[in-house]
Amino acid sequence: MSIKAKLALGVAVLALGAWFYATPYLALRGMQQALDARDAAKLSGYVDYPALRNSLKEAVAPKAVLELNQSKDKNPLAAMGAAIADAVIAPVVDAMVTPESLALMMRGIKPQPGLPQSGADEPAAGGGEASGEPRAGVDTAMGYEAVDRFVVTVKRKDKTEQPLGLIFKRDGWFGWKLAAVRFAE
């Protein structure tokens, strides 16, 4: 192989590696654009709804319900209790997994189960923050936790709340989907 061919191959491998590294940032940018455009269909391409629902179910469910789910194989009454708890929690979680609640989470606002997700203390839709940028009042940190897990931590600057972690998991080689939400304890 000639020097030029080796150099071209090396540049191609480096470019592919850089693109592979940048894919979660590109997915996050696409998700932000879908949220800003209020395009639910495009947004759905960036969300793993079953995994996100399971994550929210674990976050919303009291520890007693989680213990019921673990012991339902041993005790038939625990299985019935777990089924009832799941029937109560599932609609709450489904109400939390909407484009509106995802938009709130991207701004660092923890969705409240059972409440309308309008963001009453937020600026009107399209108005953005005082600077005109909808995410101007938000501190965001992002990075890899593992090769297949990318975490975006979002915190509102004007609030003392704990940050909200949005966990993206790899979908294929180059795709990423929002798969879980990490609420601070």
Side-chain angles (χ1 to χ4, degrees):
M1 219 192 256
S2 72
I3 297 290
K4 287 184 182 182
K6 288 180 183 178
L7 185 60
L9 181 63
V11 168
V13 167
L14 282 175
L16 183 64
W19 187 58
F20 187 76
Y21 179 80
T23 55
Y25 297 96
L26 297 172
L28 185 61
R29 183 171 158 235
M31 188 175 181
Q32 287 285 4
Q33 289 172 345
L35 285 168
D36 292 344
R38 300 180 191 274
D39 185 352
K42 185 176 177 185
L43 178 64
S44 291
Y46 294 105
V47 181
D48 181 354
Y49 286 104
L52 184 59
R53 282 187 184 99
N54 285 337
S55 167
L56 286 171
K57 195 180 292 186
E58 290 174 8
V60 170
K63 289 185 181 184
V65 172
L66 297 175
E67 290 171 7
L68 275 176
N69 279 332
Q70 291 173 351
S71 65
K72 67 183 178 185
D73 293 336
K74 300 174 187 171
N75 184 350
L77 291 177
M80 188 170 68
I84 292 169
D86 284 341
V88 171
I89 292 172
V92 172
V93 169
D94 288 341
M96 290 174 66
V97 182
T98 63
E100 293 82 16
S101 66
L102 291 175
L104 290 174
M105 285 189 267
M106 296 294 283
R107 291 190 282 162
I109 302 168
K110 180 180 175 181
Q112 298 297 315
L115 296 177
Q117 301 298 324
S118 62
D121 64 337
E122 297 305 304
E129 302 284 326
S131 70
E133 173 65 29
R135 290 170 297 280
V138 176
D139 282 329
T140 306
M142 55 188 88
Y144 281 92
E145 270 190 353
V147 173
D148 62 343
R149 185 185 349 229
F150 188 80
V151 178
V152 178
T153 305
V154 186
K155 182 180 185 313
R156 293 177 58 192
K157 292 179 184 176
D158 60 343
K159 302 288 181 182
T160 59
E161 301 168 343
Q162 294 296 320
L164 183 67
L166 305 172
I167 301 169
F168 289 80
K169 293 195 177 176
R170 193 173 292 281
D171 181 45
W173 281 93
F174 299 107
W176 291 85
K177 289 191 174 191
L178 176 63
V181 177
R182 184 182 301 154
F183 298 111
E185 297 296 321

